[in-house]
Amino acid sequence: MPRVRTLIRSGLGSALLAFTALSSPLASAQETAQASAVRPALWKVADEDTTIWLFGTIHVLPEQVDWYAGPVAKALDSAQELVTEIPIDDTEQAQGTILQMAARKDGKSLRDTLSAKERTAYEGALTSIGIPAQAFDANDAWFAALMLTLIPLKTAGYSTETGIDQQVAARARARHLANHAFETVDYQIGLFDNLSEPTQRAYLDEVVEALPDVKTDVDRMVAAWKAGDADHLAELMNEDESDPEIRKVLITDRNANWAKWLKARLDKPGTVFVAVGAGHLAGPGSVQDQLAAAGVSSTRVQ
């Protein structure tokens, strides 16, 4: 399921965090469950007077995990600035932005743009997760694909409340840390909305085909993240990815932009904690690779 993997790898935080708008009867039970200890990956970039910590997050998790320990806790506690994908207080805005951008502007129904074969498979996928066939008729294909990925995860108990981003944000607010965001909500959702129509259709087709296995696939990625196995995480996320537009727009270009900002940030003294989707810090074209290409080295700490 290349598109599902790419969605998770791309770490589109605003899209996933806006998913809190969907109800989850399992959330309270998860919040009271005992947290399991994990050792997610952490990297350090530093010069004489600046330290930048690179920490990969998982936006949604099925259970509480004890991530705030050891080098990660020390790194966050020492930081004067938190860097995230979008501003930590813009989650509510993201919900409205998604709905606005996802609205079709061609006057057509989404299902009417699909071939007979595609439509049958798409309607069957919606029915299989208890969603009316007309649910996303007024939306673009990328939005339907996004929902077909996220709704089964939510049903399976995945929640942003147990995800890492919200917990990092809460600790940053408690300490009144400065927050720099690499991107705005509009820009991030616009990455999906501006994908070409053929790419959006291919994205939806592959998500529909992969739907029965989405939870198993994401479970494997979460397990690799918990173990701090960045190499295996990259393998899982990169497997079978074949669309150059998806890879360039959602991953490579963004990593290059972020690395450029991080290199420039080394010119200013201080300690910075960067918390972005884990896929951006794993595999070919990662932020670390982009930094290395610019002559900046990173060291694995955990």
Side-chain angles (χ1 to χ4, degrees):
M1 64 177 65
R3 299 299 177 271
V4 176
R5 291 190 179 104
T6 301
L7 170 63
I8 301 300
R9 182 182 180 192
S10 68
L12 287 166
S14 57
L16 293 173
L17 292 177
F19 192 39
T20 54
L22 298 177
S23 61
S24 174
L26 300 176
S28 61
Q30 291 164 349
E31 289 168 13
T32 58
Q34 183 176 2
S36 57
V38 301
R39 289 184 59 81
L42 178 72
W43 289 264
K44 180 180 181 181
V45 176
D47 60 15
E48 295 82 2
D49 56 5
T50 308
T51 298
I52 299 175
W53 302 100
L54 302 177
F55 179 61
T57 67
I58 293 289
H59 300 309
V60 291
L61 285 171
E63 62 184 1
Q64 288 282 1
V65 296
D66 185 14
W67 62 275
Y68 189 69
V72 174
K74 292 179 180 178
L76 183 52
D77 286 346
S78 68
Q80 293 101 40
E81 180 180 8
L82 172 67
V83 176
T84 50
E85 293 181 37
I86 63 169
I88 61 176
D89 293 323
D90 277 5
T91 301
E92 185 174 342
Q93 176 194 344
Q95 297 175 19
T97 299
I98 289 176
L99 294 177
Q100 180 181 10
M101 289 193 177
R104 299 192 67 83
K105 301 170 181 65
D106 58 5
K108 300 178 181 178
S109 161
L110 171 59
R111 286 183 295 160
D112 289 342
T113 68
L114 306 178
S115 68
K117 181 178 180 181
E118 289 172 334
R119 179 167 178 160
T120 297
Y122 170 68
E123 291 177 345
L126 289 172
T127 300
S128 73
I129 60 174
I131 304 298
Q134 69 274 18
F136 307 120
D137 277 356
N139 300 121
D140 293 328
W142 67 262
F143 181 79
L146 180 70
M147 291 297 100
L148 278 171
T149 302
L150 299 180
I151 289 173
L153 292 178
K154 194 73 171 181
T155 301
Y158 275 79
S159 170
T160 55
E161 295 182 15
T162 49
I164 305 305
D165 299 79
Q166 287 197 8
Q167 297 181 49
V168 170
R171 292 183 179 278
R173 291 189 193 98
R175 291 186 50 216
H176 304 288
L177 287 185
N179 174 217
H180 171 83
F182 284 131
E183 300 165 347
T184 64
V185 171
D186 284 10
Y187 173 81
Q188 199 173 84
I189 301 306
L191 294 175
F192 271 131
D193 198 44
N194 292 323
L195 291 172
S196 67
E197 186 65 25
T199 297
Q200 289 192 38
R201 289 273 295 278
Y203 175 19
L204 178 58
D205 289 345
E206 294 194 21
V207 168
V208 166
E209 181 180 355
L211 185 61
D213 300 318
V214 62
K215 179 182 179 299
T216 299
D217 205 55
V218 175
D219 283 346
R220 292 166 62 201
M221 287 187 277
V222 169
W225 175 84
K226 288 180 177 180
D229 192 343
D231 290 339
H232 186 45
L233 181 62
E235 290 174 4
L236 292 172
M237 291 180 169
N238 290 325
E239 186 179 357
D240 298 329
E241 176 53 67
S242 58
D243 192 304
E245 183 182 3
I246 288 278
R247 181 183 293 275
K248 181 177 188 298
V249 171
L250 299 186
I251 302 170
T252 309
D253 285 356
R254 297 169 73 208
N255 288 351
N257 290 337
W258 299 358
K260 182 178 180 180
W261 185 91
L262 291 169
K263 181 180 180 181
R265 181 61 182 78
L266 287 170
D267 294 335
K268 179 182 176 181
T271 301
V272 179
F273 189 88
V274 178
V276 296
H280 289 286
L281 306 180
S286 66
V287 171
Q288 298 94 312
D289 281 357
Q290 303 285 355
L291 285 170
V296 178
S297 62
S298 58
T299 302
R300 177 74 180 264
V301 176
Q302 173 172 288

